[in-house]
């Protein structure tokens, strides 16, 4: 299996499908690159080189004790991009992966980047603070931490059966297979890695990173996202990135990579084709 080894000896697994202009897909917590398989297959079949990696501590990558924060995630992404010598790349980040690509741009710039897409993404800042009064109360994240420490297997089942895919809404019809895939991928993450990553996605402030975006940027978010509320995530990020395009999926939950596969694939392809087609 293909891996890139980072400067601290961490092995990062990646899948490299198709040929053409490169697209790198960064996954959400506590999943791995398999969560992108529908979009990766779709983009590769439509003339793009679609690459998806497992964040350190997740999936098939090394379960490190250290580095479970955004700066290191971004540097690992840089190691992947440099290893493959990717140019003119489009970065697509879902949820925590949106934080990862945003911090990448903040730390490494856009010399290799042509476009960026934030999907149900955690920037600019999730947790409520004095300077972020409309954020999510820290007690919510403390509850996730407590659930992870007590019984993370059940936590993941509860998330998949409830807010992640909006399965707690009237009329929801998310298959058992989709929920099982969420649980399976989540349990492949290291316990410490997934636990520490809760702070990474909830408490990292990406506002300065977003201010450095100087590339075409697309923001996609469901307005019934119960994990990263639209007003905290997509709406706020789009307001901070000059010229960003915002697409709102009415009534859509957080996990739109599964619940809105076709619509998301079509929107990604249309945006990709606006550059260098």
């Amino acid at each position: 299996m293909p891996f890139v080894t980072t400067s601290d000896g961490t092995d990062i697994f990646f899948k490299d499908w198709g040929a053409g202009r490169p697209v790198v897909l960064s996954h959400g917590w506590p999943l791995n690159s398999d969560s992108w398989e529908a979009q990766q297959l779709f983009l590769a079949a439509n003339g793009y080189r679609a690459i998806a990696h497992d964040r350190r501590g997740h999936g098939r990558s090394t379960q490190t004790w250290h580095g479970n924060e955004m700066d290191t995630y971004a540097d690992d992404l840089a190691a992947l991009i440099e290893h493959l010598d990717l140019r003119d790349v489009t970065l697509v980040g879902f949820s925590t992966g949106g934080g990862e690509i945003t911090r990448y741009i903040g730390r490494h710039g856009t010399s290799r980047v042509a476009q960026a897409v934030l999907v149900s993404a955690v920037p600019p800042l999730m947790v409520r603070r004095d300077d972020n009064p409309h954020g999510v109360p820290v007690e919510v994240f403390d509850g996730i931490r407590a659930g992870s420490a007590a019984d993370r297997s059940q936590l993941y089942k509860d998330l998949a059966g409830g807010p992640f895919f909006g399965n707690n809404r009237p009329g929801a019809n998310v298959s058992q297979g989709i929920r099982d895939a969420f649980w399976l991928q989540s349990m492949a993450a290291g316990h410490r890695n997934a636990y520490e990553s809760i702070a990474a996605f909830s408490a990292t402030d990406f506002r300065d990173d977003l201010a450095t975006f100087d590339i075409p940027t697309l923001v996609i978010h469901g307005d019934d996202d119960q994990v990263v509320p639209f007003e905290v995530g997509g709406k706020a990020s789009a307001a901070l990135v000059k010229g960003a395009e915002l697409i709102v999926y009415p009534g859509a939950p957080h996990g739109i990579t599964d619940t809105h596969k076709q619509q998301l694939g079509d929107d990604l392809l249309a945006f990709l084709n606006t550059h260098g087609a």
Side-chain angles (χ1 to χ4, degrees):
M1 292 193 293
F3 289 89
V4 56
T5 302
T6 68
S7 59
D8 69 352
T10 301
D11 290 328
I12 302 294
F13 169 80
F14 65 94
K15 296 185 282 189
D16 190 349
W17 295 357
R21 194 155 58 81
V23 182
V24 173
L25 303 154
S26 295
H27 63 80
W29 174 92
L31 304 172
N32 59 54
S33 59
D34 292 347
S35 65
W36 278 118
E37 63 181 16
Q39 291 75 34
Q40 190 174 10
L41 183 63
F42 178 79
L43 295 175
N46 280 278
Y48 287 90
R49 180 183 178 187
I51 300 157
H53 64 293
D54 293 352
R55 186 170 302 118
R56 69 169 53 210
H58 297 68
R60 289 136 292 201
S61 293
T62 306
Q63 293 189 10
T64 58
W65 187 254
H66 57 278
N68 303 296
E69 33 70 32
M70 282 293 168
D71 285 357
T72 302
Y73 294 164
D75 292 350
D76 290 347
L77 176 58
L80 173 67
I81 290 171
E82 291 163 12
H83 171 74
L84 297 175
D85 194 22
L86 302 179
R87 310 275 177 179
D88 207 22
V89 63
T90 296
L91 298 177
V92 184
F94 168 74
S95 194
T96 298
E100 181 178 300
I101 71 164
T102 298
R103 182 52 51 92
Y104 169 86
I105 290 172
R107 284 173 69 82
H108 299 276
T110 55
S111 63
R112 292 177 179 265
V113 182
Q115 297 167 290
V117 185
L118 299 172
V119 180
S120 306
V122 298
L125 173 61
M126 282 196 73
V127 72
R128 181 178 297 172
R129 323 191 305 202
D130 290 343
D131 64 346
N132 191 43
H134 303 298
V136 178
V138 70
E139 290 80 8
V140 172
F141 305 111
D142 289 343
I144 298 172
R145 274 185 277 265
S148 179
D151 185 349
R152 72 184 184 113
S153 177
Q154 189 59 50
L155 170 69
Y156 301 149
K157 286 180 179 290
D158 291 344
L159 287 171
F164 195 90
F165 297 114
N167 214 40
N168 55 347
R169 296 305 201 203
N173 186 28
V174 180
S175 74
Q176 187 64 50
I178 288 176
R179 287 180 276 164
D180 289 349
F182 179 95
W183 177 86
L184 183 65
Q185 291 176 44
S186 301
M187 290 303 294
H191 191 4
R192 173 180 168 84
N193 306 104
Y195 184 90
E196 293 293 314
S197 192
I198 297 167
F201 75 69
S202 65
T204 302
D205 187 344
F206 298 100
R207 289 175 288 192
D208 288 345
D209 302 296
L210 290 169
T212 70
F213 277 41
D214 57 359
I215 50 172
T217 300
L218 172 64
V219 179
I220 300 175
H221 216 107
D223 66 7
D224 192 31
D225 189 331
Q226 302 170 71
V227 177
V228 182
F230 170 63
E231 290 76 11
V232 174
K235 183 178 180 181
S237 285
L240 292 174
V241 177
K242 186 177 180 180
E245 177 185 355
L246 173 63
I247 299 177
V248 181
Y249 288 6
H254 187 63
I256 58 177
T257 51
D258 282 297
T259 62
H260 292 66
K261 290 179 182 178
Q262 189 61 54
Q263 185 177 358
L264 179 59
D266 290 343
D267 286 334
L268 290 174
L269 190 61
F271 182 66
L272 283 160
N273 287 341
T274 63
H275 177 90

